[in-house]
Amino acid sequence: MRLHRLAVTAFGPFGTTQEIDFDTLSSAGLFLLHGPTGAGKTSVLDAVCFALYGTVPGARQSPGSSLRSDHAPTGTYTEVTLELTVGERRLEITRRPAQQRPKLRGTGFTTEKAQSWLRQYDPASGEWRALSRSHQEIGEEITQLLGMSRDQFCQVVLLPQGDFARFLRADAEARGKLLGRLFDTRRFAAVEDRLAELRKAAERQVGAGDERLLALAHRMAQAAGAGSPAAAPIEERPGEPGLADAVQLRAALARSEAREALDIARLRLAAAERRQADARDALAAARELADRQARHADAVRRQEELAARRPQRDQWQTALDRSLKADRVAPALGLREDAERAHRTANADRDRARALLPADLAEAGAEQLSTVERRLRAELGGLEAARRAEARSAELSAERAVLDREARADEDFLQDAAAWLAGWEARRAELTRRVEAAQEATARAEQLAGRLEPARRRLAAARRRDALAAELAAARERLTAARERRNESHEHWLDLKSRRLRGIAAELAAALDPGAPCQVCGSTAHPDPARATADHVDRAAEDAAYADYSRADEARTAAETAVAATAEAWEAARGEARAGLGPGAVDGPADPARPVDPVVGELASDVEELARRHAEAHALAAQTHAAREALARAEREYEERGAAQREAERRVAARTSRREALEQQQAALEAELAASRGESGSVAAHATLLERRIALLTEAAETVRAAEAAARGLKEADDRLADAAFRAGFATPAEAAAALLDEPERRAFQHGVDAWQAEAAAVADRLAEAATAEAAALPPADPASADAAHTAAERALREAATALAAARERCEALDRLSRQTDDEVRRLGPLREEYERVARLAALTAGTAAENERKMRLESYVLAARLEQVAAAATARLQRMSSGRYTLVHSDARSGGRRAGLGLHVVDAWTGNERDTATLSGGETFFASLALALGLADVVTDEAGGVRLDTLFIDEGFGSLDDQTLDEVLDVLDSLRERDRSVGIVSHVGDLRRRIPAQLEVVKARHGSAVRLRTGGDALSG
C-alpha cells in the first residue's frame, strides 16, 4: 500500500482545504511530520484512517465528539480525500462524516447523513471511474484489499505514541489482549468456547439419560409393587458409572419374581374354571326340574278354567248356526230396503217440482206438462234474431260514447295549444337572452379568476414581508450582541493562553519526579525547575475560557445563519408582493402616489373586490347549462305542440263522419226491436223468462215419471222377501232379520269357540307328557340355592382371571421397561464416551487439565507463537539500534499464580543476563518498543496475506534518545528504504528537523492549522 495524495477540508484543526503530496515526501524514503503541540500532526494520521475505514483511532471517535473543524466557515463541508495504490490498483476514496448544515428553507440547522465515494483510475483512458457510493461496499472492498482491520492498520501503519512502550512493560493479560486484536485469534477463543459448550451439552445429555434411567427404575418399582427387590431405592446418583448396572440388575430381579407370580395365577384360574362348570351344570338341572313341575301345575289350572267356560261356548255356537240360515234371506232384505229408499226420494223430488209450477198445472200429469214445454220452446226459438240485433245496438251506443269523450279531449287540447303558441316568440326571446348573459359571465369569471390568485399570493407575501421585517431587525440585534460576545471571549481566551504559555515551564516543572526523564529534554537531572508566578494561568482556566469562546462563536455563527436566512426570506416575500403590480391592477386607474412596496390594506381591498366580482360572475356562469337546456326544451316543446295540434284537427274531421254513420245504423235497429220485446224491457229479458219456464216444466215431468216407477219397484221387493224367509225356515221376514249377525259379531263368536277348542287340545297334550308327569311326582325343586352356588363360583373365577391379567400385565410392563432400560443404556454408551472425550479436550484447551503443565489456554498458545515471531523480527533491528547489546526473547514461564505463555524478556549481551523489559531506561525503552513495533508490522503484514506496506508512520517520543542512539535509530529507519518503503516520523524534536530533509510542517494559527511541504536545503535551513 502506497499513499499518493491526501486532501482534508474542515477536518479537525484544519479550517480550510489542505493537500499533502505523499509522492514528494516518499521520494526521500524518510520524512518528518512536525509542528507545535496541538497543531494537528496526529490529525493528519486520523484523516488517513478516516478515509480508509470511516472512523478515527481510539478515543477520538468517542460518542459526542465531532470531526468537524471549529474554524470552518458555515456552509463548508467536512471532507477527506485519499489517493493510494493497493494491490496494483490506484484508488481515490472521499468521505464526508455526518454533520450539521443550514436548512435550505427556514432557519436553523439540519443533520446531513455521512457520504462516501470510491473511484479507480483507468490507465488506458486516463480517467477516473466511479465504483461505489455505499459505505458498506467501500468498507468491505478496502478491508479485503488491505487484509487488515482498522485496529491492525492503526498498530502496523500508524505506530501510535506510547502504545508499544506500554506493550513492552505490560503483563501477560494486557499483552494478550493487544495481540489478540492484531492477529484476530478470536477463532481459537471460539474453539475454547465451543469445546466448553460441547462439554456442557454432552454433560446435560448424559445427565438427562441417567435421569431417564432413574425414571424407568421408578416405573419398574411401581409395576413390581411393594416388597419387590425392584422397589428398593437405588444408591447411585446421575452421572455415576454404576447407575446403569444397578438399574438393569433390579429389572432382572423384578422380571423373575413377576414370572413366578404369573404361573401361580394360571393354576388358580384353571381350578376356578372347573368349580364354575360344575356349579353351572347343577343350576341348569335345578331350573329344568322346577320348569317341568310348573308346567304340570299350569295344565291342571287351565283344565279347570275350560270346564267353567263350556256353557258360554255352547251359546256362541248356536248363534253362529242360526246366522248361517239367515244369510240366505239377506239379499232379499237388501233389495226391499233399496226399493223403499228410492220410493221416498222420488216422491220428495216430485212434490218439490210441482210446488214451483203455476196453480193450474200443480196436479197435471207427465204428458200434459210435456205438451206445455214444447209450446214454449217453439216461442223461444223465434227470439234469436232479435237478440243479435239488440246486442249490435248496444255496441253502437258504446262506440258513440267513446267518440263523444275523444271529441271533448281534443277540443280542450286545441284550446291549450292555441294559448301556448300565442306567447312563443316572447318566451324564446327571454330564454335566448339568459343564455347570452350566462356565456358573458363565464368569460368574465375566467378572467377574474386569473387575476384573483396572483392577488392573493401578493397579499400573503406582503403579510410575510411585514412579519419578516420585524424578525430581521430582531435577528440583526441578536447578531450584533453575539459578535460582541464572541470577540470579548476570544480576546479573553487568547490573553489567558498567552499568559499560560509564558508560564508553561513552571507547569511542566510541577510534573517532574526525581529520577524520571524530562518530557522536554529527556534528562533525569532537574537542577533548577521553574517556579509559577502570581499571574500564572493553569490549563483548567484556559480550557474554560476556550469553551466559553467556542460557545460564543457557535452562537455568533447561528446568529449569522439566522440573519441570512431571514433576510433571504424577506427579499423573497418583498419580490413576490411587488410582482405583477401596475396601473389598473384591479380595473382601476393608475395611482402615481402609490408606494413601490404596496401596503397590506390596499392589497386586501383589491383581493376583496376581485373575490366579490368573481363570485358574482361565477354564480351567473353556473346557470349557462341550465339556460341552454331550458331553451332546447322550449324549442322541442314548440315543435311537439304544433305537430299535436295538426293531428288533433285531423282526428276531429274523421270523428264527425263516423258519428253520422253510427246514428243511422242505430235508428234502423231500434225500429226492428220494438216488436220483439213484448212486455219485457228487452229481448234478452223476454228470452230469459221463457227459458226459466221451460226448465221448470221439464223437471216436473221427469219427477212425476220417477215417482210412479219407484212405487212399482217397492211392491215387487215385498213379494220376493216373503218368499225367501219362508224357504229359509223363518215364520216371518222380521224373524229372519233378527237372526242375522254383522261381521264383527260373527268373528267374535267364532274366535271364542276356536280359542276354547285350542286351549282344550293344548291342556290335553301337556297332561299326556311323560316327563312332566314324572317331575310332578318328585319333591319340589330348589333353584335359588343352586343359583347362589353358581354365583359364588363365577365370582371366584373372575377374581382368578383378574389376578392372572394383573400378573400378565405386570410381566409385560416389566419386560417393556427392561427393554427401554437396555435401549437407554446402549444409547447412553456413545454419549458417555463422547462426553469424556469432549471434557478432556475442553479442559486441555482451557488450561485446567493435568496434561497441560503450563496451564496455557489455546488462544494463549497461538499468541505465544506469534509473540515469538514478533520478538525474532524485532531483535534484528533492536541489535542495530543498541549496537548489538540487547536481544528480545519470548518466555513461556509462569509468573506467580498466573498462566504462562506471553512473557517478554530482554537479554543484555554485556552481562549475559536475561531480565524483564521493565528494567530498561527511558531511551532504551523507546528504541526497544520501536524495534518491537517494526517487527510487529512485518509479522502482521505477513499474517494479513503479504500485502506490501510502502508507507509507515511512527508517532513516538524521540526526545529521550542521545545523539548516538538517535543516529542508530535513524539508520535503522532509513534502511527501510531498501525495500522501497517510506517512513514518516511524527515528532516535535528540533534535532530531527536538522537530520531529515523531507518535512511536512503543521502550522497552528487562530483561524485554523495549515500544512507546508519542505524538501532539501529549504527544510534544513528552515
Side-chain angles (χ1 to χ4, degrees):
M1 180 198 73
R2 178 177 294 277
L3 304 181
H4 298 292
R5 183 180 64 88
L6 175 68
V8 295
T9 303
F11 183 87
F14 305 107
T16 59
T17 301
Q18 303 293 320
E19 290 196 10
I20 301 173
D21 186 358
F22 283 109
D23 286 337
T24 302
L25 291 173
S26 300
S27 62
L30 190 65
F31 62 90
L32 177 66
L33 176 60
H34 68 93
T37 302
K41 300 185 297 297
T42 305
S43 296
V44 174
L45 308 183
D46 291 346
V48 173
C49 185
F50 176 74
L52 291 173
Y53 295 98
T55 58
V56 297
R60 294 187 291 278
Q61 190 62 30
S62 60
S65 61
S66 173
L67 301 178
R68 181 171 177 79
S69 174
D70 296 333
H71 303 286
T74 303
T76 300
Y77 284 103
T78 300
E79 182 178 279
V80 176
T81 301
L82 176 64
E83 185 179 336
L84 74 160
T85 297
V86 56
E88 303 300 328
R89 297 170 61 185
R90 185 152 184 165
L91 303 175
E92 181 189 76
I93 308 171
T94 302
R95 292 187 186 269
R96 289 181 182 176
Q99 52 192 296
Q100 296 283 326
R101 63 165 178 81
K103 293 182 178 179
L104 298 179
R105 295 181 180 178
T107 60
F109 291 83
T110 184
T111 300
E112 183 166 315
K113 296 181 179 179
Q115 302 181 58
S116 300
W117 294 268
L118 177 62
R119 300 195 303 169
Q120 180 175 346
Y121 182 73
D122 187 1
S125 62
E127 296 179 353
W128 290 93
R129 177 168 53 89
L131 295 182
S132 176
R133 293 194 60 179
S134 169
H135 300 298
Q136 182 177 0
E137 291 180 358
I138 296 174
E140 293 175 354
E141 181 73 14
I142 296 301
T143 302
Q144 182 178 3
L145 289 174
L146 295 178
M148 290 182 287
S149 65
R150 188 199 69 175
D151 292 338
Q152 290 177 320
F153 179 83
C154 293
Q155 293 290 344
V156 173
V157 180
L158 311 177
L159 305 179
Q161 295 177 356
D163 282 1
F164 283 95
R166 287 190 294 272
F167 177 80
L168 198 63
R169 297 188 178 96
D171 56 10
E173 182 177 359
R175 193 174 291 136
K177 292 181 180 179
L178 176 60
L179 291 175
R181 289 198 307 270
L182 292 178
F183 293 105
D184 193 14
T185 57
R186 291 174 296 179
R187 59 187 182 277
F188 300 103
V191 170
E192 298 176 18
D193 297 338
R194 179 58 179 167
L195 286 174
E197 293 175 1
L198 291 175
R199 180 188 61 78
K200 293 179 181 178
E203 184 179 7
R204 287 195 297 269
Q205 290 180 346
V206 172
D210 289 344
E211 292 292 345
R212 289 193 293 272
L213 282 177
L214 288 176
L216 290 171
H218 180 67
R219 291 170 60 186
M220 284 190 289
Q222 291 179 339
S228 174
I234 298 177
E235 298 179 357
E236 290 78 7
R237 299 269 68 89
E240 296 182 7
L243 176 63
D245 295 337
V247 174
Q248 287 180 320
L249 176 60
R250 282 166 174 73
L253 294 175
R255 289 198 305 273
S256 177
E257 182 184 11
R259 289 193 181 95
E260 292 178 1
L262 178 62
D263 294 338
I264 295 172
R266 286 172 178 166
L267 295 175
R268 289 178 178 174
L269 177 63
E273 288 177 345
R274 289 193 298 273
R275 289 193 296 271
Q276 191 268 347
D278 295 341
R280 185 175 63 249
D281 295 340
L283 176 61
R287 286 178 176 174
E288 185 177 0
L289 177 60
D291 183 62
R292 289 177 179 177
Q293 291 177 348
R295 284 165 58 86
H296 184 271
D298 182 66
V300 173
R301 178 184 56 76
R302 290 164 62 189
Q303 187 179 33
E304 295 174 353
E305 292 178 355
L306 286 174
R309 296 204 310 270
R310 179 179 290 275
Q312 180 66 39
R313 177 258 177 192
D314 294 341
Q315 183 179 355
W316 288 342
Q317 187 63 48
T318 301
L320 289 173
D321 294 341
R322 286 179 59 81
S323 175
L324 291 175
K325 293 180 181 181
D327 288 342
R328 294 194 293 270
V329 186
L333 285 172
L335 291 176
R336 201 273 173 189
E337 291 177 356
D338 293 340
E340 184 178 7
R341 187 165 50 253
H343 184 261
R344 289 196 300 270
T345 302
N347 288 338
D349 292 340
R350 181 196 59 193
D351 295 341
R352 186 174 59 256
R354 282 180 172 176
L356 299 176
L357 296 176
D360 56 342
L361 298 177
E363 298 297 332
E367 291 301 330
Q368 184 180 359
L369 293 174
S370 298
T371 302
V372 176
E373 176 192 356
R374 285 192 294 273
R375 180 175 57 79
L376 292 178
R377 285 185 182 278
E379 184 179 355
L380 179 61
L383 293 179
E384 185 63 29
R387 293 173 67 180
R388 287 193 298 272
E390 187 177 43
R392 176 59 182 162
S393 178
E395 293 176 357
L396 293 175
S397 298
E399 188 174 355
R400 288 177 60 191
V402 171
L403 291 176
D404 290 341
R405 288 195 301 273
E406 291 178 352
R408 288 193 297 273
D410 285 344
E411 184 177 357
D412 294 341
F413 175 76
L414 289 173
Q415 291 177 357
D416 180 66
W420 191 89
L421 292 173
W424 161 243
E425 293 299 333
R427 184 177 296 105
R428 181 172 62 181
E430 175 61 22
L431 292 174
T432 302
R433 185 192 62 77
R434 288 175 55 191
V435 170
E436 293 173 352
Q439 291 176 343
E440 294 176 357
T442 300
R444 190 166 59 255
E446 293 177 354
Q447 179 186 7
L448 292 173
R451 295 166 55 192
L452 179 59
E453 188 59 30
R456 287 174 174 169
R457 288 197 298 268
R458 288 192 297 272
L459 175 59
R463 288 171 175 167
R464 289 198 309 273
R465 178 203 62 200
D466 294 348
L468 289 171
E471 294 180 7
L472 180 59
R476 286 172 175 168
E477 293 178 358
R478 290 192 296 271
L479 175 59
T480 300
R483 285 175 174 170
E484 293 176 355
R485 171 60 182 160
R486 186 260 183 192
N487 294 334
E488 292 174 358
S489 60
H490 188 226
E491 293 298 331
H492 178 62
W493 170 61
L494 292 178
D495 178 62
L496 291 181
K497 185 174 183 179
S498 300
R499 289 162 57 189
R500 180 169 177 257
L501 290 176
R502 288 195 299 269
I504 194 66
E507 185 175 337
L508 293 174
L512 291 175
D513 292 329
C518 175
Q519 297 181 12
V520 178
C521 64
S523 175
T524 58
H526 318 299
D528 187 17
R531 300 289 186 273
T533 61
D535 62 343
H536 176 68
V537 177
D538 58 5
R539 183 178 182 85
E542 181 188 354
D543 291 344
Y546 180 74
D548 186 31
Y549 159 66
S550 298
R551 289 192 296 270
D553 188 60
E554 291 176 358
R556 186 262 305 170
T557 302
E560 289 178 348
T561 303
V563 168
T566 306
E568 183 179 359
W570 180 81
E571 286 292 344
R574 181 169 178 262
E576 187 176 355
R578 298 173 61 187
L581 287 180
V586 195
D587 290 350
D591 185 4
R594 174 176 291 182
V596 176
D597 290 337
V599 297
V600 174
E602 294 178 354
L603 292 176
S605 300
D606 294 344
V607 169
E608 182 179 358
E609 177 64 19
L610 284 174
R612 182 188 62 76
R613 294 172 57 190
H614 175 265
E616 294 175 354
H618 182 72
L620 184 58
Q623 302 176 7
T624 302
H625 180 71
R628 289 176 177 172
E629 288 292 327
L631 178 59
R633 285 196 303 270
E635 291 177 346
R636 287 195 300 272
E637 185 177 2
Y638 172 75
E639 296 296 334
E640 292 172 356
R641 284 181 178 269
Q645 183 183 30
R646 292 189 293 273
E647 180 63 21
E649 291 174 350
R650 185 191 61 78
R651 289 197 304 271
V652 169
R655 194 181 298 112
T656 300
S657 301
R658 178 61 179 166
R659 182 180 182 83
E660 292 176 355
L662 292 176
E663 289 176 351
Q664 293 176 1
Q665 292 180 16
Q666 191 171 20
L669 290 174
E670 287 296 330
E672 180 181 351
L673 291 173
S676 300
R677 289 174 179 160
E679 298 177 358
S680 299
S682 63
V683 175
H686 185 56
T688 300
L689 178 61
L690 292 177
E691 290 172 353
R692 185 166 57 252
R693 289 177 179 178
I694 291 171
L696 291 175
L697 290 172
T698 302
E699 182 182 3
E702 291 176 353
T703 58
V704 170
R705 294 190 187 96
E708 293 174 352
R712 291 192 298 272
L714 178 60
K715 185 176 182 306
E716 292 174 356
D718 288 338
D719 294 342
R720 286 194 294 272
L721 176 61
D723 183 59
F726 176 74
R727 285 196 298 271
F730 294 102
T732 61
E735 183 179 353
L740 284 173
L741 294 176
D742 56 14
E743 189 61 27
E745 289 178 330
R746 186 191 302 275
R747 285 196 300 270
F749 290 170
Q750 186 65 46
H751 177 71
V753 172
D754 295 341
W756 190 91
Q757 291 177 350
E759 180 70 9
V763 170
D765 293 340
R766 179 72 58 81
L767 293 176
E769 294 176 356
T772 304
E774 293 175 357
L778 295 175
D782 189 7
S785 299
D787 184 59
H790 178 260
T791 301
E794 283 189 338
R795 183 169 55 254
L797 177 62
R798 287 194 299 272
E799 292 175 354
T802 302
L804 177 61
R808 185 179 292 112
E809 183 179 357
R810 184 181 302 110
C811 286
E812 293 175 355
L814 290 173
D815 291 341
R816 183 175 62 256
L817 292 173
S818 297
R819 288 192 299 272
Q820 293 178 6
T821 300
D822 295 339
D823 294 341
E824 188 65 32
V825 170
R826 285 192 296 271
R827 194 182 70 83
L828 275 177
L831 290 178
R832 198 178 301 277
E833 294 177 0
E834 176 69 13
Y835 165 68
E836 293 174 356
R837 183 176 63 85
V838 171
R840 180 174 173 273
L841 287 175
L844 187 62
T845 57
T848 59
E851 297 91 335
N852 193 337
E853 297 178 356
R854 297 187 181 276
K855 304 300 181 183
M856 291 179 62
R857 294 172 48 243
L858 177 61
E859 185 181 15
S860 300
Y861 177 78
V862 175
L863 291 177
R866 292 289 186 267
L867 182 58
E868 189 172 2
Q869 296 174 356
V870 171
T875 297
R877 295 184 176 88
L878 179 59
Q879 288 183 342
R880 291 184 59 187
M881 294 180 187
S882 63
S883 300
R885 179 179 179 182
Y886 294 115
T887 301
L888 282 175
V889 294
H890 161 254
S891 173
D892 55 4
R894 299 181 62 184
S895 176
R898 299 180 180 178
R899 298 180 182 178
L902 297 179
L904 194 62
H905 291 171
V906 61
V907 177
D908 191 347
W910 290 2
T911 63
N913 294 330
E914 179 179 330
R915 53 193 174 95
D916 193 88
T917 54
T919 61
L920 296 174
S921 66
E924 292 171 343
T925 299
F926 165 69
F927 62 69
S929 61
L930 178 59
L932 186 64
L934 294 174
L936 183 62
D938 292 338
V939 175
V940 172
T941 300
D942 295 337
E943 175 71 14
V947 177
R948 182 177 177 84
L949 301 178
D950 298 319
T951 304
L952 295 176
F953 293 92
I954 300 175
D955 191 2
E956 290 287 349
F958 286 82
S960 60
L961 303 179
D962 55 31
D963 292 341
Q964 180 181 355
T965 305
L966 181 60
D967 290 337
E968 293 173 351
V969 170
L970 292 179
D971 289 342
V972 172
L973 297 178
D974 192 56
S975 66
L976 296 176
R977 290 188 297 175
E978 298 173 0
R979 292 161 48 174
D980 197 19
R981 282 184 176 177
S982 60
V983 179
I985 297 176
V986 182
S987 178
H988 60 301
V989 176
D991 192 35
L992 291 178
R993 290 198 293 270
R994 294 188 297 272
R995 294 171 181 263
I996 301 176
Q999 299 177 12
L1000 180 66
E1001 182 182 5
V1002 182
V1003 181
K1004 181 169 60 175
R1006 290 187 176 184
H1007 300 292
S1009 298
V1011 296
R1012 298 175 183 174
L1013 179 63
R1014 297 182 178 183
T1015 60
D1018 178 51
L1020 296 177
S1021 63

